[in-house]
Amino acid sequence: RKKKARVSCSLPEPSWEERLANAVTPLWRLPYQEQLQVKYESQRRILQTLASRLEELGIDAQKPGGLCCPLQPVVPSPIINGYRNKSTFSVNRGPDGNPKTVGLYVGTGRERNIVCVKANHVENIPSKHKQVAQCYQEFICHSPLDSCILFHEGGHWRELVVRTTRCGHSMAIITFHPQQLGQEALTTQKALLKEFFTCGPGAVCALTSLYFQESTMTRCSHEQSPYQLLHGAPHIFEELLGLKFRISPDAFFQVNTAGAEVLYQAVGELCQPTGDTVLLDICCGTGTIGLSLARRVSKVIGVEVVEKAVEDAECNAAFNGISNCEFHSGKAEAVLPQLLASWEDARPLVAVVNPSRAGLHYRVVRAIRSCRAIRRLLYISCKPEGEAMRNFLELCCPPDPQKKLAGEPFAPMLAIPFDMFPHTVHCELVLLFTR
């Protein structure tokens, strides 16, 4: 008998472009309504987990569906494609072996299979960002200096951050490892960069601001190594809910501006502000939430760790003729306990917290719980299944002398997810707590 030939059913290997799209925007193939449903189910599971964890603490938190509180449908993003106002591009070896490829990573450092793929086809990145990335790659490919892939192996050219606004402004921030270069050589490189983006091929980007940062660390703040303005204006400006906002190189601003407007309007409603309300805006960034609500409350108090963001917030208040805001620079765990320990204001105090993925420091949670004036708290989280979950439990658990958690516990009342990140699995969850 003749053996039958085997028919191969294996699918062709996905292209590098598809691999990158699958890594960065894993829901990109789904119709948008299906993306929203995927995210709703994800948030539902998170609220079920929170309910179970609260039950373990002896708190009767089970609501219909096993949730800790009612969950509203995911609020869609007004813009689905090209919505990002900030993109960070890496420099590394591309699929073709070019060590000066500017793009996004496929693979992991742990598995040592990182490949840097151009992001031209990634749907959530606007064309302007892709244009600046392409120009930066052109510049470094013509540079005699190497890219810095591993710090200890030398090389200089590192990542690129691009920020844009709906006002038509654009900012590029280039990170450079100085290695052993002297000041004269650094000055030369900065001059060449400026020339390329103002008079050379990069002039097509029409940058509002071009920044340069010398950094020997993976991440570096302005305080650790100042951002050096090579060309243009020191800030770019955005308009949000009828207000004008100044943005510095490292200031936090929601990555989806149109989505942020929808989010902040909802936050305003959930705060239920009255004319005598004091709004406590923790992790306030450039002051967007507090300033958007300033005319509906008697006072806004903002707390933010990034000094430049606080400067932006103060300027933003001045731009918009808002005089009832004060902003405090420093770590929330250092500023807030002092601020609330002596709180004697009789006016109702509403807190809004919008921390990074690392969540709130336990001292911040302790200070919030100990302040009797805070009866209403809105927690905005882009990763509620992470460290934020710890915060939720700390806010809601019975008083615990061992953890120095005093004060009446909060209870989750309502959850609203906002799709700030179409095509990805992430969304922003707003949880309303009261006591």
Side-chain angles (χ1 to χ4, degrees), residues 231-339:
H231 163 72
H235 309 97
I236 55 176
F237 290 86
E238 184 58 286
E239 289 183 1
L240 189 85
L241 296 174
L243 301 174
K244 189 176 182 181
F245 291 94
R246 182 181 103 169
I247 302 170
S248 292
D250 60 345
F252 172 77
F253 200 89
Q254 283 285 357
V255 79
N256 179 343
T257 307
E261 287 189 312
V262 177
L263 172 66
Y264 296 159
Q265 283 175 318
V267 166
E269 296 307 313
L270 291 168
C271 283
Q272 294 185 352
T274 61
D276 61 345
T277 299
V278 176
L279 178 70
L280 183 59
D281 188 1
I282 303 167
C283 312
C284 67
T286 55
T288 44
I289 293 176
L291 291 169
S292 68
L293 286 171
R295 293 193 170 99
R296 298 169 62 185
V297 298
S298 63
K299 186 177 183 181
V300 173
I301 302 171
V303 178
E304 170 59 41
V305 67
V306 179
E307 280 183 37
K308 285 289 179 184
V310 171
E311 287 179 25
D312 286 344
E314 290 170 342
C315 287
N316 291 335
F319 286 147
N320 295 289
I322 296 171
S323 57
N324 63 337
C325 296
E326 63 180 55
F327 298 98
H328 298 261
S329 175
K331 291 183 177 179
E333 61 267 27
V335 175
L336 203 66
Q338 290 181 327
L339 201 65

Side-chain angles (χ1 to χ4, degrees), residues 7 14 23 76 79 100-101 178 183 195 199 218 265 281 328 336 370:
V7 178
I79 299 172
K100 292 181 174 180
T101 301
Q183 204 54 50
E195 182 183 14
C199 310
T218 307
Q265 283 175 318
D281 188 1
H328 298 261
L336 203 66
S370 297

Side-chain angles (χ1 to χ4, degrees), residues 341-360:
S342 58
W343 190 267
E344 293 178 352
D345 198 313
R347 291 174 291 182
L349 180 60
V350 176
V352 175
V353 299
N354 188 13
S356 67
R357 292 184 179 189
L360 293 173

Side-chain angles (χ1 to χ4, degrees), residues 53-344:
R53 299 284 297 276
L54 290 172
E55 291 278 334
E56 291 168 11
L57 295 172
I59 301 164
D60 182 15
Q62 293 279 359
K63 300 290 186 296
L67 307 182
C68 63
C69 63
L71 173 65
Q72 291 193 0
V74 181
V75 179
S77 172
I79 299 172
I80 298 168
N81 294 324
Y83 57 84
R84 291 190 65 92
N85 56 39
K86 180 182 179 183
S87 300
T88 302
F89 299 96
S90 299
V91 179
N92 211 307
R93 202 170 302 281
D96 60 355
N98 176 12
K100 292 181 174 180
T101 301
V102 176
L104 306 176
Y105 284 156
V106 174
T108 63
R110 183 178 296 174
E111 295 180 19
R112 298 188 177 182
N113 62 349
I114 282 179
V115 177
C116 194
V117 182
K118 286 186 182 182
N120 295 343
H121 56 288
V122 178
E123 293 190 356
N124 62 353
I125 298 178
S127 56
K128 181 72 169 185
H129 296 199
K130 297 170 184 176
Q131 180 188 47
V132 179
Q134 180 58 42
C135 286
Y136 179 49
Q137 178 170 318
E138 184 180 340
F139 174 81
I140 65 174
C141 281
H142 286 94
S143 170
L145 300 182
D146 293 332
S147 56
C148 179
I149 293 174
L150 295 172
F151 289 6
H152 65 278
E153 290 184 359
H156 302 278
W157 299 114
R158 291 184 51 204
E159 70 181 25
L160 162 74
V161 174
V162 184
R163 305 188 76 153
T164 50
T165 69
R166 296 185 296 187
C167 301
H169 297 173
S170 54
M171 176 188 288
I173 307 150
I174 288 163
T175 310
F176 184 90
H177 197 307
Q179 302 290 1
Q180 307 305 317
L181 283 186
Q183 204 54 50
E184 190 177 332
L186 282 166
T187 301
T188 300
Q189 292 309 313
K190 288 185 275 190
L192 289 170
L193 258 177
K194 179 181 177 180
E195 182 183 14
F196 179 85
F197 278 105
T198 56
C199 310
V204 68
C205 299
L207 293 176
T208 309
S209 311
L210 173 62
Y211 274 97
F212 183 85
Q213 187 186 40
E214 299 163 31
S215 174
T216 58
M217 294 177 274
T218 307
R219 283 283 179 273
C220 197
S221 69
H222 174 78
E223 287 71 34
Q224 292 166 319
S225 180
Y227 291 95
Q228 303 169 46
L229 182 64
L230 302 187
H231 163 72
H235 309 97
I236 55 176
F237 290 86
E238 184 58 286
E239 289 183 1
L240 189 85
L241 296 174
L243 301 174
K244 189 176 182 181
F245 291 94
R246 182 181 103 169
I247 302 170
S248 292
D250 60 345
F252 172 77
F253 200 89
Q254 283 285 357
V255 79
N256 179 343
T257 307
E261 287 189 312
V262 177
L263 172 66
Y264 296 159
Q265 283 175 318
V267 166
E269 296 307 313
L270 291 168
C271 283
Q272 294 185 352
T274 61
D276 61 345
T277 299
V278 176
L279 178 70
L280 183 59
D281 188 1
I282 303 167
C283 312
C284 67
T286 55
T288 44
I289 293 176
L291 291 169
S292 68
L293 286 171
R295 293 193 170 99
R296 298 169 62 185
V297 298
S298 63
K299 186 177 183 181
V300 173
I301 302 171
V303 178
E304 170 59 41
V305 67
V306 179
E307 280 183 37
K308 285 289 179 184
V310 171
E311 287 179 25
D312 286 344
E314 290 170 342
C315 287
N316 291 335
F319 286 147
N320 295 289
I322 296 171
S323 57
N324 63 337
C325 296
E326 63 180 55
F327 298 98
H328 298 261
S329 175
K331 291 183 177 179
E333 61 267 27
V335 175
L336 203 66
Q338 290 181 327
L339 201 65
L340 294 181
S342 58
W343 190 267
E344 293 178 352

Side-chain angles (χ1 to χ4, degrees), residues 359-410:
L360 293 173
H361 194 280
Y362 74 92
R363 286 198 197 115
V364 176
V365 177
R366 190 193 298 171
I368 290 170
R369 281 196 50 150
S370 297
C371 182
R372 292 181 183 178
I374 301 175
R375 313 302 298 173
R376 197 172 190 86
L377 168 70
L378 274 105
Y379 195 121
I380 305 169
S381 175
C382 61
K383 196 176 182 183
E385 73 278 16
E387 289 301 306
M389 182 67 72
R390 170 180 54 82
N391 292 158
F392 302 157
L393 296 171
E394 290 168 343
L395 287 165
C396 298
C397 71
D400 187 339
Q402 280 188 321
K403 293 182 179 178
K404 297 181 181 178
L405 283 170
E408 185 187 346
F410 286 84

